[in-house]
Every structure is written in C-alpha cells, then in structure tokens.
Amino acid sequence: MNNLEKIYSPNSVQDKWYESWNSNGLFSSSPSQKAPYSILMPPPNVTGILHFGHILNNTLQDIYIRWNRLKGNEACWFPGIDHAGIATQTKVEQELKKEGISRRDIGREAFVDRVWEWKEKYGGIIFQQQRTLGVSADWERTLFTMDNSAVAAVREVFIQLFDEGLIYKGKGIINWSPVAQSALSDEEVIFKEVKEHFYTMRYHLEDGSGTLMVGTVRPETIFADVAVAVNPADERYKHLIGTNVIVPLGGQVVPIIADDYADPTFGTGCVKVTPAHDPNDYQIGIRHGLAMPQCINADATLNEICGVFAGLDRFVARRKIVAALEAAELLEKTEDYVHNVGFSERGEEAIEPYLSDQWFVKMKPLTGPALDVVRSGEVKFYPEHWTKTYEHWMGNIRDWCISRQLWWGHRIPVFYAENGQFTAARNEAEARVKLGLPDGENLVQDPDVLDTWFSSWLWPLTTMGWSGEKPGEASAESEALMNYYLPTDLLVTGPDIIFFWVARMIMATKKFRDTVPFKAVYFTSIIRDGRGRKLSKSLGNSPDPLDVIEKYGADAVRFTMIHMAPMGSDVRLDINVETQDIASMELGRNFANKIWNACRFLQMKQDEIGDVTEGVSEFQHTTADKWIRSRYESTVAQASEALNNFRITEYARALYDFVWRDFCDWYVEIVKVQFAANQNAQYRKQLLDNAFGIIKGMLTLIHPVMPFLTEELWHELYDKSSAESIGTTAAPVSNSALIDSDIESKFELTQLLVEAVRRQRNEMNIPPSEKLPITVSAPEPLVEFFQEQKNVLQSLGRSNSVTIGSNVARPQGSVADVVRGIEFYLEVSSAVDMNKERERLQKEYVRLQGAIKGIEKKLSNEGFVKGANPDVVEQERKKLADWTETMEKIDKNLESINN
C-alpha cells in the first residue's frame, strides 16, 4: 500500500483520473440487459464558456449519472452543443469587421464557410472545461445541432408541420434587432431598468370641442397611431367613445375606442394605439380590426410617413419630435419615468417591437398532450410549484415566431415560384412536384433561417440519431436507442427556459414519437453573490470558474455548490469582487482535506502493525464500533432517499455531517484511544479493518459528488489497478438490521458530555495541556455504559481521571453542568483562581450589558434600519445575537462557580 501524501493536492490527480476514465470507456453506454438510465445534457452554445450556472447544472447531472452507474444501471449522458444562430453569427461578423469587411461583402456561401471554420477552431471549448469539472458524459454521442442528421430532422419536421397547416407565414409583432436585422426570441431579449420620460400630449377632438390628454414614452411612433383607447368603465371618457381626435404633428384623424387594456389609474387613462410598434397595441388592433401602418424602418430610422423626421434615428427623432410638440403647444407636460426596456442580448441595442412578415408555428394544437402529461405526473417538475407556471403559460400560449433574418442556421425549406406560389420541400425538384410546376421552372429558397430553439425542441430525438422519420422507420441504431433510452430519466435546467425549451420538447416528442422526452425535470437555483445580486461581469462579481477550480479543486467546487443549493432556493456565494475569490469554496476544500487526513491517519496506523498473519480471535465490537456502523447505515439510507427525491442539498449535508462529525471528529479519535489502550496486533488489525470497511462504503457514497478525491483514495487505500474504478463498483445499500437507535441515543450522551466539558474548558481559558479530573453522576441504568466509555471520556475530555457513579457528591473546587439529566463536574481549582474567574466574568457581563443596550437602541431606530446599508444593519443584528448568547454562557458559568 502506498502512503498518502501529507497534503491533498487535487490538481495532481484530476487530469490523471479523467484520462483514465475516458480511455477505459467508463462513460460509454449502449443498450443492454441492464435497466436504462439517461440524461440529456442541455446543449451549451458553441460560443459558450463555463460559468457558475453550468457548474451547478453539470454537477447535478453528473451526480445522478455516477450514482446510477453505481446502482448497476446502463447510465448514458447524451452531450451536445448548439449552433446558437445569432450568437455565433455575431462572433464571426466581429471577426470580419476586424478585417475591414462584412458578411455582405463576401456573400452568404462564403460567410457560412467562415462560420464553420470558426466553429472547428473555437467551438466546443466548453467541452474541455466540462472535463475539468469531471463531467462523465458519453462524449462519443456528442451531437452538434448542425450535424447532417439534425439538419434532416429539422427539415422533415418543418415540412410535416407545414403540410399539416401548423406552420404558416403571416404578419406578427416580433422582437426586432436593428443591429442584427433579425427577429429575436424572447430569450434573446434582456430587460434593463431605464430612466426615460413620460410625455403627455394634446390630442384635440376633431369637432373642436375639447382636448384629450394622452401619455407615451415613445412620441416618435405617433405617426403610426390609428386610435386612442379608453377603458369602457371610465366615466371620464364614456361620452367620447366613437368620436375622433387629431394626432399631434401627424395630423391623422383617429377614433376613440373602448378597450379593457386601458388602465384608468395609469397616466390620464388614455392610450395611443400603434399596432405596428407595440405588442399590446397589436392585440388591440386585432380585436378592433384596426389598420397597422408602420413609421419605423428595419434599421430603426423613421420612414416616409413621418414627414420632415424621415431618415432620422428613432432616438434622435424623439428629441426633435418633442421639441416640435413644444413649439406647436401640443405637449402638456414631461415627467421622469423609470421602466424596463428590452435590449438585444448580443447587439446590446434596444429592441424594436416590429410588425413583420415571419414564419410561425400554431401552438395551441400542440399544447393539449403536453399539458396532460404534466398534469398526470408522467412528467414531474422539481420543485413542484413550477407546474402551475407551466400550466398558466400553456393556457395563454401564443404562436411561435420561428424565422430569423440570419445566414447561420437551419435554412427554411420553403421554395417560391415566380407566380407567388410557395411550398415546403426537401429540394427544388420536390417543390415543383408539390406546386404542379414543370421541370426547369425557376424557384427561389426562402433566405431566412430557423430560430435556434426549432432545432433544440427536437433534442430528445436528434441526440439519439433521429432524422425526422415516422415511428419505426428510423435507422436500426436510432430506433434501438430511442426504444431503450426514451423517455430519458432526468432533465436539469434553469426555470428561465421552461417555456422556450422544456415545454416545446414535451410538445415535439409527444407529436413525433408519441412519448414524453423525460420523466423528471429539476429546475436549478439562481446563483447570486453574498448581497443577493445575480452574477454578472458588469458587476465584477462573476469569477472564472476555471480559476476557482484551479485554486480549490473540482471536487471542492462541486460539493460546495450542491451543499448551498436547496431545491427552489437561490445559491449565495461569498465573492470578493477585488480578488475574485469565493470564500464559500473553503467549505468544500476543508471537507476534502478532512476526508484525506482521516484516511491518511488510518493508513499510517495500518503501516504500524504491518501484516498480521496469525489467527485472529472474534472481534468484540465496542459501543463506539456499533454506533459508527449504525450511523453509517443511517447515512446511506438518508443520502439515498435524498437523491431519489432530488433533495440534493440534503444528500450533501448527510455526507458532511457523517464524515466530519461522526467519523472524523469522533470515531477516528476513538480509534486512537482504542489503538493506544490495546497493544494486541490482532485486535488492532480488526479495529482498523472495521474502520476501513466504513471508509470504503463512505467513499462510494461520496463518489458521485467528489469523483476525483474518492477515486484517488480508493486506489491508494485498497491497492487497485489503474483500469478499475470506484465508479463501477456497487452503490452502498443500507442494512436496516444494523441501525440501532438505542446505541445511537446512548452514544450521543457521550458526545454531549465531551462537548460540554470542552465548552467549560474553553470558556474558562484552560489550556489543552492541563488535564483535569471529571466526575459523572448518572442514573443507575447508565452507569455501566459510561464505565465502558471511561477511556473515551478521559482522552477526549482531556482528563487525568474520570469518576463515574450514581448520586455522586460534587467535588470541591469544581464547576457543574447538566446534560440531559446527567450531572458532571469539572475540577478546575488547580487551574483557575475561582475568585478571580468570578470577578472576570462579572466584569465581562456588565460590559456586554452596556454594549447590548447600545446596539438595541440603534436597531430600534427606524431611521438607522431604513437608511443604513443593509449589510451594516445585518452585521449589527449578528452582533446582538452573538453578544446575547455570550451573556447567557457567562450567566451559566457564574451560576456554576457560585454553587
């Protein structure tokens, strides 16, 4: 057996073991006689790099894949990467800009070739970063959403939905990026709080009898106004419904209409209706059959209907239009106004709500089956409350805009004839047949590409080689994979894409395979800093995870993240903005070191006794031995149950409590006592065998979350060959017959007594080297038990003698305490001057009384609580709690001394 290094160095083992796992095919999976277990990796963008959201998401998935391998299941984690249309196109356009050219200069075909070149060079960097984290995906099954099989699937699905009338071309209000010159999905729009102005304008009644005050933040759109809406229940304007007003500057005469969207409590209660430039106005326009003229161009300049303002950028035009309104005495007032405005995630410009010809999917026909499977529990959400959110969204679903005015992506398979006819087809020849046109008739393919989510919603199928075939018609390999692994067992994702991705995958898999894509969806938490802010490069609170892994080790980062991520709650990391350090990660690193040190100690004890070949008598288990076995079996049951119910933080805390407190702080220390008390080599070997047996199961239980550390220890402690892995052994199964609640309860008394003695010594500043007598007065039924624990109490309580009995008199010069009805006395007179100690405690008590009064006065001041920095207020509250607790301890110690 090799000796473990004195200090655990994660960076020295991570690459070694990952290469070993990968080269020995530990991550590979194929249909077999085993029970299947599969997970779909949410495909990161080809432009992506690792961030802390990935760390949490990937760690959770890896835990379940590794756990199910240990359980003997055929575990397959399907990885992949998304072509990320607009994100990738933006990256390559930036590269071209550095060369002084644009995509239009080189043309579509050459531009797409450049994107492929960029993808081959830079795409997939995140996969290498995931390996650093320990991700055990079946990399041989990696799918890129622009691979040939995925392209075929997307094309077939589009054609089928088009032929069924579920895909159509029409006008709709969409998110428009003036920079990218493309429609955007809602997910590609980031809302930011913006300080602008709210303008109240004068709309004169057509008959000259008065004026209507109408408010807006976008006066540049008045040229496309087609109505003014008021609430039908608003008594102020009921008499005006059906009459007309004149739009200021624009001069068009528009009707006053009644619509519930108008809020009588906001502004003047009158809403200008501009259907082509506002999604809410668009819905009003649909309801009332209004015209939908546009006054803003695709490049965000004003068009010809805006008169002298035509050609101006929308924000430049706004300033000039406001000045013109003031000059014409058509502006009633201007007020400061703070609201949320949508910005393009990539271009970073304010998006434009824009009426445009686009391709849409009719969603309502697809929602029924997708709702049923969630309501019935065939697909379960964790936390469960997301089910209500899902149901609400599905009940109010809108048609999905799937076209994008980009060059990179899945090109829309629609072909147009010169006579205006068009159809969806695999190629021009098929399109001519469908349109009834002769051979040689010129056709033009639609220039747009599909929304990235249109390939992503097929992810459960395309990852398994599906190319769009009907059930039973796919390739033999694809059919075998889908029949075996579908539905997958788990999807781990963020709740922000429950609609963009989760819901659509359920729809698509039900539609094209008549099954669900997954049985369970675990929604991850939001990662925040210690002040509750989301991690963001602009705030400087988003460290590079690779730097953090380099400093603390992958296992430490993995363990810390899940330990701090209870289901449904945000994760808060203590991030130093200046150093980019995350102090929270000390928890995981310290835990890894604790495990390492305990194993190293036992290994050294093993070396001390060497090989014991003579006959070994039956090992007599002490209470401590039985206790640690019971606690181990209880922990296996608790951890397994937590994993089965996706209570991942409970799993981490069960491991932490058992390893740190029960095994390391108590059992290892007791082994030291037992080892020292008995020189018999046979006994010592059995004692260590018992400890190593617990460690072996413990390492296997920890392996899913800390794979590198456990692999290294498993090999070093048990002398395994490099081809073997702890990850392919058997998951521990709790033996309930070995769980003894009576033993656990009794041993807890020993722990409480030792902790109480240590507390007394600490509070009286007695140095560790000073050994003091302890007397325990216990009820008669427990005296024999404590006699057995005498060596433990003496060693761990740092005592030179322990007296145990029933109704024992209190020794002179001792301090007393009571633990669950058991009295104990610590004789301190030889180490402490009782009078001086009493005087010291009394002075400290008075000092704390004054300090607490001052802090209570400060916290009762409403002005301080509301006006001070929240961190300062929280610090003051913590001081109050700490000082109050200290006073209670002093009071207890004084009582003990005085008695």
Side-chain angles (χ1 to χ4, degrees):
M1 186 184 292
N2 298 321
N3 286 326
L4 294 170
E5 296 292 335
K6 185 175 182 180
I7 297 173
Y8 173 54
S9 175
N11 293 332
S12 68
V13 304
Q14 288 169 185
D15 288 346
K16 172 183 75 174
W17 287 122
Y18 199 90
E19 174 56 32
S20 173
W21 296 330
N22 213 20
S23 61
N24 287 302
L26 264 65
F27 306 158
S28 298
S29 174
S30 295
S32 69
Q33 297 303 310
K34 298 179 183 178
Y37 184 90
S38 56
I39 292 178
L40 300 168
M41 178 186 289
N45 285 352
V46 69
T47 58
I49 57 172
L50 205 67
H51 57 65
F52 275 96
H54 291 129
I55 295 286
L56 177 59
N57 187 297
N58 289 171
T59 298
L60 286 166
Q61 293 174 81
D62 200 42
I63 286 171
Y64 279 96
I65 283 292
R66 289 180 182 274
W67 179 242
N68 276 278
R69 282 199 197 101
L70 287 168
K71 288 169 71 175
N73 294 328
E74 188 65 67
C76 187
W77 188 0
F78 290 88
I81 195 162
D82 197 294
H83 67 279
I86 194 167
T88 309
Q89 178 157 321
T90 300
K91 284 278 187 186
V92 177
E93 288 199 75
Q94 289 169 350
E95 294 293 317
L96 292 177
K97 190 175 182 180
K98 293 175 185 176
E99 300 172 21
I101 56 177
S102 72
R103 64 183 167 109
R104 299 192 186 280
D105 292 333
I106 63 175
R108 183 169 193 147
E109 188 175 340
F111 177 76
V112 170
D113 287 342
R114 284 290 296 264
V115 179
W116 276 106
E117 289 172 15
W118 185 92
K119 182 262 179 187
E120 293 305 316
K121 187 174 182 180
Y122 300 107
I125 287 175
I126 194 169
F127 283 158
Q128 297 304 318
Q129 297 173 328
Q130 286 173 316
R131 285 170 164 81
T132 304
L133 184 64
V135 163
S136 61
D138 186 350
W139 297 113
E140 294 171 359
R141 298 195 180 281
T142 300
L143 178 79
F144 179 46
T145 53
M146 290 290 286
D147 284 346
N148 290 337
S149 60
V151 170
V154 168
R155 182 183 63 238
E156 294 302 314
V157 164
F158 186 99
I159 293 169
Q160 181 178 334
L161 294 178
F162 177 90
D163 289 345
E164 292 178 14
L166 293 178
I167 284 182
Y168 67 94
K169 190 171 188 179
K171 282 191 177 294
I173 196 91
I174 46 93
N175 303 311
W176 182 260
S177 166
V179 170
Q181 290 284 288
S182 174
L184 302 178
S185 71
D186 290 343
E187 198 261 344
E188 293 165 324
V189 177
I190 305 297
F191 282 89
K192 301 177 186 178
E193 193 175 84
V194 175
K195 294 180 180 179
E196 294 189 311
H197 294 98
F198 190 77
Y199 306 96
T200 301
M201 299 174 293
R202 297 170 182 153
Y203 283 59
H204 297 310
L205 294 172
E206 183 185 29
D207 62 9
S209 62
T211 300
L212 210 58
M213 301 301 172
V214 181
T216 185
V217 292
R218 302 195 67 200
E220 65 273 16
T221 63
I222 55 177
F223 303 100
D225 285 1
V226 293
V228 171
V230 298
N231 194 287
D234 194 332
E235 296 293 339
R236 295 173 296 175
Y237 306 119
K238 271 188 175 181
H239 66 290
L240 295 176
I241 295 171
T243 63
N244 296 328
V245 291
I246 302 170
V247 177
L249 293 188
Q252 65 268 39
V253 176
V254 301
I256 299 172
I257 62 175
D259 195 278
D260 289 332
Y261 175 73
D263 182 358
T265 66
F266 181 76
T268 64
C270 302
V271 178
K272 64 187 285 297
V273 181
T274 319
H277 298 290
D278 183 277
N280 295 308
D281 291 4
Y282 177 73
Q283 294 301 322
I284 295 174
I286 294 291
R287 286 194 291 273
H288 294 270
L290 301 174
M292 298 187 182
Q294 292 175 274
C295 66
I296 297 179
N297 295 313
D299 63 357
T301 60
L302 271 60
N303 69 17
E304 65 281 356
I305 73 168
C306 302
V308 296
F309 305 104
L312 294 176
D313 172 80
R314 53 186 165 164
F315 297 118
V316 174
R318 181 182 297 178
R319 294 193 296 271
K320 291 183 178 293
I321 288 167
V322 169
L325 288 167
E326 286 181 309
E329 297 184 348
L330 293 171
L331 185 65
E332 178 70 15
K333 61 180 177 179
T334 301
E335 302 166 277
D336 290 338
Y337 185 61
V338 177
H339 66 138
N340 288 323
V341 174
F343 286 80
S344 167
E345 183 181 23
R346 303 296 167 186
E348 299 185 351
E349 83 282 19
I351 62 103
E352 187 65 38
Y354 196 65
L355 186 66
S356 173
D357 284 318
Q358 301 288 342
W359 287 96
F360 296 87
V361 177
K362 291 180 181 177
M363 299 301 282
K364 284 194 182 298
L366 301 173
T367 58
L371 260 173
D372 291 343
V373 296
V374 172
R375 285 173 171 162
S376 69
E378 193 175 352
V379 176
K380 292 183 178 179
F381 288 170
Y382 298 87
E384 195 275 334
H385 67 77
W386 287 110
T387 301
K388 292 294 181 187
T389 306
Y390 177 86
E391 289 177 345
H392 176 75
W393 183 77
M394 294 288 269
N396 296 276
I397 200 165
R398 295 183 299 173
D399 287 354
W400 173 18
C401 175
I402 56 171
S403 46
R404 299 291 180 267
Q405 290 65 52
L406 304 171
W407 286 356
W408 172 246
H410 296 269
R411 192 163 175 182
I412 291 176
V414 169
F415 296 87
Y416 298 86
E418 292 178 354
N419 62 9
Q421 289 181 286
F422 59 88
T423 191
R426 296 173 183 83
N427 49 52
E428 286 191 38
E430 184 179 86
R432 291 191 192 96
V433 172
K434 291 179 76 172
L435 293 172
L437 299 173
D439 291 344
E441 180 83 15
N442 186 45
L443 297 179
V444 176
Q445 187 173 354
D446 196 301
D448 291 352
V449 299
L450 288 161
D451 178 12
T452 297
W453 294 108
F454 197 86
S455 51
S456 299
W457 79 324
L458 304 177
W459 192 244
L461 304 172
T462 52
T463 47
M464 300 185 195
W466 186 70
S467 298
E469 301 90 351
K470 290 181 172 57
E473 296 180 6
S475 68
E477 182 183 2
S478 178
E479 282 292 334
L481 288 173
M482 290 188 288
N483 288 335
Y484 185 70
Y485 290 115
L486 268 180
T488 60
D489 291 87
L490 176 65
L491 177 74
V492 179
T493 188
D496 52 327
I497 55 174
I498 186 172
F499 314 127
F500 302 112
W501 194 42
V502 177
R504 289 171 181 163
M505 279 194 290
I506 296 173
M507 292 179 194
T509 312
K510 282 295 291 180
K511 170 72 176 173
F512 301 110
R513 192 72 188 178
D514 195 26
T515 188
V516 294
F518 27 71
K519 300 169 189 174
V521 183
Y522 184 100
F523 293 109
T524 54
S525 310
I526 296 173
I527 317 295
R528 300 183 184 276
D529 66 12
R531 293 166 59 183
R533 304 176 301 176
K534 284 187 178 181
L535 302 196
S536 162
K537 286 186 178 179
S538 62
L539 293 174
N541 67 348
S542 184
D544 184 340
L546 294 180
D547 292 340
V548 180
I549 290 173
E550 175 73 20
K551 179 173 183 178
Y552 294 97
D555 288 335
V557 173
R558 289 164 63 111
F559 185 83
T560 301
M561 291 299 290
I562 68 160
H563 190 276
M564 300 179 70
M567 182 166 44
S569 299
D570 292 347
V571 180
R572 293 208 175 201
L573 299 176
D574 185 11
I575 298 169
N576 185 314
V577 175
E578 293 182 5
T579 65
Q580 293 292 284
D581 192 24
I582 304 180
S584 316
M585 296 299 163
E586 292 288 351
L587 180 143
R589 179 163 66 182
N590 292 342
F591 185 54
N593 289 337
K594 191 82 167 179
I595 297 168
W596 182 269
N597 291 336
C599 291
R600 182 171 178 272
F601 166 77
L602 292 172
Q603 187 188 59
M604 289 191 298
K605 290 299 176 186
Q606 184 78 59
D607 289 347
E608 277 186 33
I609 64 171
D611 293 329
V612 179
T613 57
E614 57 200 79
V616 178
S617 59
E618 185 177 351
F619 182 56
Q620 296 298 313
H621 290 282
T622 65
T623 298
D625 298 324
K626 294 174 184 176
W627 166 78
I628 195 64
R629 172 57 67 177
S630 180
R631 287 295 306 123
Y632 167 73
E633 300 294 347
S634 295
T635 301
V636 170
Q638 184 183 351
S640 301
E641 196 267 341
L643 284 175
N644 290 339
N645 291 281
F646 302 103
R647 296 197 300 271
I648 197 73
T649 296
E650 288 183 28
Y651 159 72
R653 290 177 180 173
L655 299 179
Y656 188 88
D657 291 346
F658 173 75
V659 172
W660 194 287
R661 175 179 159 81
D662 296 337
F663 191 81
C664 295
D665 284 357
W666 287 98
Y667 189 65
V668 169
E669 294 303 313
I670 290 169
V671 167
K672 292 178 184 178
V673 175
Q674 293 175 334
F675 207 83
N678 194 325
Q679 301 298 314
N680 183 283
Q682 298 172 21
Y683 171 81
R684 287 181 162 190
K685 179 182 186 305
Q686 289 175 318
L687 177 65
L688 291 176
D689 284 348
N690 187 62
F692 278 114
I694 298 290
I695 286 177
K696 194 170 188 179
M698 182 180 79
L699 292 177
T700 311
L701 194 60
I702 296 170
H703 176 72
V705 65
M706 305 182 87
F708 296 111
L709 170 73
T710 52
E711 190 75 77
E712 180 74 5
L713 288 171
W714 188 76
H715 279 264
E716 290 293 332
L717 296 179
Y718 303 103
D719 201 23
K720 302 292 182 180
S721 73
S722 60
E724 295 180 275
S725 171
I726 188 175
T728 53
T729 58
V733 177
S734 177
N735 184 347
S736 59
L738 296 177
I739 298 176
D740 190 328
S741 57
D742 183 56
I743 286 285
E744 290 193 30
S745 297
K746 280 184 177 179
F747 194 80
E748 188 180 10
L749 294 175
T750 304
Q751 293 174 296
L752 293 172
L753 273 176
V754 171
E755 287 170 347
V757 169
R758 288 172 172 173
R759 184 173 62 249
Q760 288 277 27
R761 292 177 61 101
N762 183 56
E763 289 171 0
M764 301 183 80
N765 297 314
I766 298 170
S769 59
E770 187 84 32
K771 296 186 182 298
L772 301 174
I774 298 171
T775 299
V776 178
S777 182
E780 189 63 44
L782 289 173
V783 170
E784 184 180 349
F785 167 74
F786 281 119
Q787 288 288 359
E788 184 191 327
Q789 303 303 306
K790 193 170 183 177
N791 286 344
V792 174
L793 291 171
Q794 184 168 326
S795 177
L796 302 188
R798 296 191 177 279
S799 172
N800 50 17
S801 70
V802 176
T803 302
I804 297 167
S806 180
N807 298 315
V808 181
R810 177 177 178 175
Q812 288 291 321
S814 65
V815 291
D817 205 346
V818 180
V819 175
R820 293 192 182 170
I822 301 163
E823 293 180 285
F824 78 88
Y825 310 106
L826 180 65
E827 296 178 42
V828 298
S829 56
S830 64
V832 176
D833 184 319
M834 301 293 269
N835 290 326
K836 285 185 178 179
E837 180 63 13
R838 183 185 295 108
E839 184 180 343
R840 183 188 73 80
L841 290 173
Q842 287 171 338
K843 283 182 179 179
E844 180 65 7
Y845 191 89
V846 172
R847 185 190 74 79
L848 284 173
Q849 270 187 322
I852 285 173
K853 282 182 182 177
I855 209 165
E856 284 177 335
K857 185 177 179 181
K858 187 185 287 186
L859 289 171
S860 66
N861 182 336
E862 193 174 329
F864 168 75
V865 174
K866 287 186 176 179
N869 185 303
D871 291 344
V872 173
V873 175
E874 187 57 36
Q875 286 171 6
E876 294 299 300
R877 285 179 176 146
K878 188 175 187 307
K879 278 187 203 172
L880 178 61
D882 290 345
W883 291 348
T884 301
E885 183 183 356
T886 302
M887 274 190 68
E888 289 171 355
K889 290 178 180 177
I890 291 173
D891 198 34
K892 192 173 183 180
N893 285 347
L894 281 170
E895 182 183 351
S896 178
I897 290 173
N898 291 332
N899 290 337

